Amino acid sequence: MTHLFDPLKIKDIILRNRVGVSPMCQYSYTDGFSNDWQVIHLGARAVGGAGLVIAEATAVEARGRITPFDVGIWRDEHIDPLRRVVKVVKENGAVPGIQIAHAGRKACVGQPWTGGRPVQEGDPLWWPVVGASPIAFSEEHQVPNELTVEEISAIRKRFVEGAQRSLAAGFEWLEIHGAHGYLLQSFCSPLSNQRGDQYGGVLENRVRFLLEVVRDVRRVWPERLPLTVRISGTEWMEGGWNVQDSLVLARLLKEEGVDLVDCSSAGNLEKAPVPTDPGYQVHIAEAVRRGAGILTAAVGLITTAQQAEEIIHSGSADLVLLGREMLRSPYWAILAAKELGQAPPVPPQYLRAF
Ligand SMILES: Cc1cc2nc3c(=O)[nH]c(=O)nc-3n(C[C@H](O)[C@H](O)[C@H](O)COP(=O)(O)O)c2cc1C
């Protein structure tokens, strides 16, 4: 029987426990450069005892940023500041992970706290966005330029370069962002991809771009390090991508050498009725784990120690990722270990507090 505070070994990497910090955009950077905020934000959560800390969606090209303020990895100069993040996370006992991403048709919007609306053409921060088909995410969003096959190849290269730079920065866990309506997932969904070429139509065609990126990246990302993919397991919409499709995709990802599938959902359809009950996505992690025989991470409204322990204990997932609860409580893992009667991962400087 496996528990939340048992280590997880994947390839040469050992997480001290199965608590991970879910990638969370901070929209706090200039020209894609990591900074003190990211060091503190992620470092604090390593100090807080998490086994894995995944740096937020990191853009593989400038037009693949969600906002003009996203962190990025499209230039060699981005590597050095990211090394500081890696160092502080590792020094504090967690494995440093990074999510590499391209926002596709959802790119070029403002920070959420300024309303998150699309940047208007004519604004110096505006750029034209790209996607699978010329279908906008919402009435307000730009209609994306449909990528040509040559442009798709170019973006595959950007992902490869992003992976190489992630390695150079010292990250030991790589997640490809294949969820939430961003570029790679927007190709997978029949509702946002209406292409007539080899990247559109049947499921095998719609997942082609994601699989190609995975294959390309696996070639440069060392075999000894975990390669993972975040998927949107369902779009919560009749006629959209569903859990059965995810099982097919997960099997294909496994064949390409993916070590773990991070099972999120939604994000591609503005009006999808996404549930808001605790652990609302755990069933996806469980279905993928059992159906595809691959390790999974569960994420989404997981907030209590008992809930997280149950997910691991029942075999629904191999790893639990927390997002917003980690923002509220950076020491969540220490507190959860204490609650579960396990040795808490407390740094010695803080021992008198726990
Ligand atoms: C502020 C914020 C930023 C986020 N940024 C990302 C991101 O960069 N990449 C990603 O895959 N998901 C992102 N998400 C989604 C979270 O990783 C997580 O999957 C989601 O919040 C559900 O988990 P939770 O209920 O524990 O917060 C973000 C969520 C929040 C709240």
Side-chain angles (χ1 to χ4, degrees):
M1 218 54 105
T2 312
H3 297 277
L4 187 63
F5 284 90
D6 289 343
L8 174 64
K9 182 170 193 295
I10 305 182
K11 302 283 179 62
D12 283 359
I13 294 302
I14 300 175
L15 308 184
R16 61 181 157 180
N17 56 50
R18 286 142 187 272
V19 179
V21 178
S22 201
M24 279 179 286
C25 284
Q26 301 295 296
Y27 315 110
S28 301
Y29 314 94
T30 305
D31 298 329
F33 285 93
S34 178
N35 58 19
D36 289 352
W37 177 261
Q38 198 179 31
V39 173
I40 292 166
H41 162 62
L42 297 177
R45 282 147 189 91
V47 170
L52 172 68
V53 173
I54 309 178
E56 64 212 81
T58 307
V60 297
E61 64 174 7
R63 68 180 170 171
R65 289 173 294 174
I66 302 168
T67 79
F69 312 100
D70 288 17
V71 71
I73 196 150
W74 68 86
R75 291 171 52 183
D76 286 342
E77 291 77 9
H78 288 141
I79 296 171
D80 259 345
L82 285 167
R83 285 197 173 112
R84 298 171 63 227
V85 172
V86 166
K87 181 170 181 287
V88 76
V89 168
K90 273 187 88 161
E91 277 176 3
N92 289 288
V95 168
I98 184 169
Q99 184 185 58
I100 53 173
H102 192 300
R105 67 177 183 158
K106 288 174 76 179
C108 199
V109 299
Q111 292 144 316
W113 55 85
T114 64
R117 313 274 289 270
V119 176
Q120 296 302 305
E121 194 168 351
D123 187 316
L125 295 177
W126 182 88
W127 68 84
V129 307
V130 296
S133 300
I135 305 169
F137 174 69
S138 77
E139 277 183 11
E140 286 199 326
H141 281 72
Q142 282 181 56
V143 176
N145 293 316
E146 178 171 319
L147 287 168
T148 64
V149 172
E150 291 70 34
E151 288 169 328
I152 289 172
S153 295
I155 293 177
R156 285 169 56 181
K157 289 204 184 72
R158 301 290 91 78
F159 272 97
V160 168
E161 290 159 4
Q164 288 169 319
R165 294 190 184 107
S166 300
L167 186 66
F171 287 101
E172 297 177 333
W173 179 288
L174 187 69
E175 176 166 282
I176 295 171
H177 201 340
H180 302 166
Y182 298 116
L183 186 63
L184 296 174
Q185 196 232 328
S186 70
F187 269 73
C188 296
S189 168
L191 302 178
S192 46
N193 178 348
Q194 300 188 348
R195 301 174 68 95
D197 64 4
Q198 68 268 39
Y199 290 98
V202 295
L203 182 145
E204 287 68 22
N205 283 353
R206 285 181 273 116
V207 301
R208 187 183 306 280
F209 188 12
L210 172 58
L211 290 178
E212 285 175 347
V213 166
V214 167
R215 194 174 306 144
D216 294 346
V217 164
R218 186 77 268 187
R219 285 199 194 105
V220 300
W221 185 251
E223 206 38 57
R224 66 187 164 81
L225 297 178
L227 175 63
T228 74
V229 176
R230 173 165 275 198
I231 64 166
S232 275
T234 172
E235 295 194 294
W236 306 103
M237 188 72 94
E238 195 68 38
W241 182 269
N242 61 34
V243 176
Q244 280 312 313
D245 295 333
S246 294
L247 296 193
V248 176
L249 173 60
R251 288 187 200 115
L252 295 168
L253 292 172
K254 187 180 173 188
E255 282 172 18
E256 297 296 343
V258 167
D259 297 296
L260 175 144
V261 179
D262 175 3
C263 297
S264 187
S265 78
N268 191 40
L269 306 174
E270 193 199 5
K271 297 199 165 78
V274 183
T276 52
D277 49 314
Y280 67 102
Q281 296 170 151
V282 174
H283 71 282
I284 303 168
E286 183 172 4
V288 168
R289 188 173 190 267
R290 296 191 199 287
I294 191 165
L295 301 182
T296 60
V299 64
L301 287 173
I302 300 166
T303 54
T304 72
Q306 291 298 343
Q307 188 191 3
E309 169 71 358
E310 175 58 23
I311 290 166
I312 300 297
H313 195 244
S314 63
S316 298
D318 302 278
L319 176 67
V320 168
L321 300 179
L322 285 85
R324 288 160 291 180
E325 190 60 18
M326 277 287 175
L327 299 184
R328 288 185 284 265
S329 179
Y331 307 112
W332 189 91
I334 297 174
L335 297 169
K338 281 185 70 90
E339 194 179 324
L340 296 172
Q342 303 293 313
V346 190
Q349 299 91 329
Y350 286 8
L351 267 175
R352 288 170 66 186
F354 291 97

